[in-house]
Amino acid sequence: MTTATEPEAGPSTLAPVSEHLQEPFQQHIIPVENFNDGPMFEVDNIDEKSDPGFEDGDYRSVTVSLNRTIREYRHINGRSYHNYDGAYYWAPNDDTQNDHLDMVHHMMCLAYDNQLFLAPLKNPQRVLDVGCGTGIWCLDFAEQFPGAQVIGTDISPIQPRWVSPNCKFEIDNCELEWTFAENEFDYIHISSLIGSIQDWPKLYKEILRALKPGGWFEQREFALPVRANEGALPEDCVYDEWARILYETGYLTGCTWRVTEHWKEWLREAGFTEKIHTHQVKIPIGGWPKDKIQKEIGLFNRLSIETGLEGAAIYICKMVLGWHDVEIQLFLERMRAVVKNPKIHAYFPLKSVWTQKPFTWVERQLCV
């Protein structure tokens, strides 16, 4: 199998870049990580006809007050995208994409045994979710901790309209200078922002500043490329092509897709000096695992990919890499076919990192 690698500096190896993205970007050119675990799960012998489906779920709603111009979305090939000036994000913000985000949240909850976090939180009072998406994580956290004030920020007003008293949402670009006070939050959470941040050390510095001494920061991200449960993926598998496309996009925009490989060093660079904890689970693609929970996770993952792939590919392939619409649709057909193929036992690594803002010497003495 040929391993997908991030491109070297130089012209695009895939397709021309659109004119509006040819200006210089901060670049993170990161080496490929060697990853060779053994088989993850015992495989269930299934075919497409026996592969179960899903029914739509209902989600709670929240309130948010917005400037009207934020709702004047950009439209590309029938999909809507954010209109927050200066922010880069590659996915749509329409109902189809929001369904995808909620599926991913549910899938992560299943993978982590319904734990919204891994950090050892004790009675958090002020909580921030950066890039909150539909706000579903914030709502679940606010329900679990009714005494906490939970704030979710995002560049798109895609959160529903009604909210519990201890939860609110704000439209903000986390890459700009933060307006939150120093030492404000007990816990700051990030999930699924790979490929959308140009300067992770800078963002981590803002997080460190906004955390209270002893407060916790935690992040969850999927890692590339897609792996095989047994042996290797088929030669020239489209999963490897998709990884190369995302690496190329990260090179051109300066928003790397290799966050999990460098978040430890970036956290240290930002000033986090306490122990950095990491954890990884494997998220199957499809219903091939025999284990009931893993099968459900895999089916949700398959459905979430089928739901979210087109909107991401339209922006990445068309607006960044300059592909024609026909090329994009042909690529999508190949991706849909491999995702549905029960003979390909593939998975994503889902990685978490969490660490604590250090106490000063005086604060440590008071804690003792």
Side-chain angles (χ1 to χ4, degrees):
M1 178 185 71
T2 302
T3 304
T5 58
E6 195 160 9
E8 299 293 335
S12 168
T13 59
L14 294 176
V17 187
S18 56
E19 292 182 1
H20 76 285
L21 282 177
Q22 290 184 9
E23 55 217 52
F25 287 85
Q26 179 184 357
Q27 299 170 355
H28 299 310
I29 308 302
I30 305 169
V32 176
E33 175 189 26
N34 292 323
F35 190 104
N36 187 21
D37 290 332
M40 167 178 54
F41 306 119
E42 188 178 0
V43 175
D44 193 7
N45 294 319
I46 57 175
D47 55 32
E48 291 182 40
K49 293 182 180 178
S50 64
D51 198 352
F54 291 85
E55 296 180 357
D56 292 335
D58 294 324
Y59 297 100
R60 289 161 297 176
S61 53
V62 294
T63 50
V64 63
S65 177
L66 303 164
N67 188 309
R68 180 180 299 176
T69 58
I70 296 293
R71 292 188 178 275
E72 295 174 355
Y73 301 141
R74 294 178 294 162
H75 294 271
I76 306 169
N77 287 27
R79 304 297 297 273
S80 68
Y81 297 79
H82 80 87
N83 194 30
Y84 195 119
D85 188 34
Y88 171 79
Y89 189 61
W90 42 268
N93 59 4
D94 51 26
D95 289 343
T96 300
Q97 184 67 17
N98 296 345
D99 288 342
H100 162 77
L101 293 177
D102 287 344
M103 282 183 240
V104 170
H105 171 76
H106 178 70
M107 183 173 66
M108 287 186 179
C109 287
L110 287 174
Y112 280 99
D113 195 24
N114 292 318
Q115 297 181 85
L116 295 174
F117 54 90
L118 298 179
L121 303 183
K122 297 180 180 179
N123 193 29
Q125 297 299 302
R126 295 276 291 174
V127 174
L128 175 66
D129 185 21
V130 180
C132 67
T134 65
I136 190 170
W137 183 93
C138 297
L139 292 167
D140 285 350
F141 194 98
E143 182 178 352
Q144 184 174 341
F145 294 93
Q149 179 64 49
V150 182
I151 299 174
T153 64
D154 201 89
I155 57 175
S156 284
I158 58 176
Q159 302 78 26
R161 286 201 168 272
W162 300 100
V163 64
S164 57
N166 65 324
C167 185
K168 70 175 182 178
F169 297 94
E170 300 175 359
I171 303 306
D172 194 13
N173 179 2
C174 66
E175 293 208 81
L176 302 178
E177 184 177 353
W178 283 24
T179 57
F180 295 113
E182 187 174 355
N183 304 329
E184 182 171 349
F185 295 102
D186 300 286
Y187 178 60
I188 297 179
H189 171 265
I190 286 178
S191 180
S192 302
L193 285 187
I194 55 171
S196 58
I197 302 296
Q198 287 197 17
D199 193 338
W200 281 102
K202 177 184 175 183
L203 177 57
Y204 290 152
K205 286 178 183 177
E206 292 284 9
I207 289 170
L208 181 68
R209 184 190 64 82
L211 279 173
K212 297 177 183 178
W216 289 90
F217 165 66
E218 184 169 354
Q219 184 173 354
R220 289 181 183 178
E221 301 288 352
F222 288 99
L224 291 170
V226 173
R227 329 284 185 171
N229 184 54
E230 316 95 5
L233 293 172
E235 189 174 354
D236 298 325
C237 181
V238 70
Y239 283 139
D240 281 336
E241 183 178 345
W242 181 232
R244 288 192 294 270
I245 288 169
L246 297 179
Y247 297 156
E248 176 81 357
T249 302
Y251 166 61
L252 294 170
T253 63
C255 300
T256 182
W257 289 78
R258 295 283 199 173
V259 178
T260 63
E261 296 176 19
H262 278 245
W263 53 15
K264 277 190 174 183
E265 66 184 77
W266 291 339
L267 286 166
R268 293 294 187 211
E269 180 182 336
F272 284 95
T273 58
E274 296 296 303
K275 182 178 179 180
I276 296 176
H277 308 263
T278 58
H279 186 267
Q280 175 178 295
V281 295
K282 299 177 182 180
I283 308 296
I285 302 174
W288 52 263
K290 278 191 173 181
D291 179 82
K292 181 179 178 180
I293 298 299
Q294 295 301 327
K295 182 186 292 291
E296 183 178 359
I297 292 170
L299 289 169
F300 262 103
N301 194 18
R302 192 189 105 175
L303 183 59
S304 73
I305 293 171
E306 292 174 329
T307 304
L309 179 64
E310 182 178 39
I314 286 173
Y315 192 92
I316 289 170
C317 296
K318 184 183 182 75
M319 304 305 294
V320 180
L321 300 178
W323 288 20
H324 298 294
D325 290 342
V326 172
E327 294 178 285
I328 296 172
Q329 291 306 316
L330 290 173
F331 170 75
L332 288 172
E333 285 302 311
R334 293 171 58 212
M335 280 290 291
R336 292 180 184 120
V338 75
V339 167
K340 293 178 180 178
N341 189 341
K343 296 181 180 180
I344 297 179
H345 305 151
Y347 68 90
F348 279 110
L350 174 59
K351 299 184 178 183
S352 294
V353 65
W354 65 98
T355 189
Q356 190 175 29
K357 180 174 180 175
F359 290 99
T360 64
W361 182 86
V362 173
E363 289 161 341
R364 286 190 183 279
Q365 302 310 306
L366 291 174
C367 288
V368 172

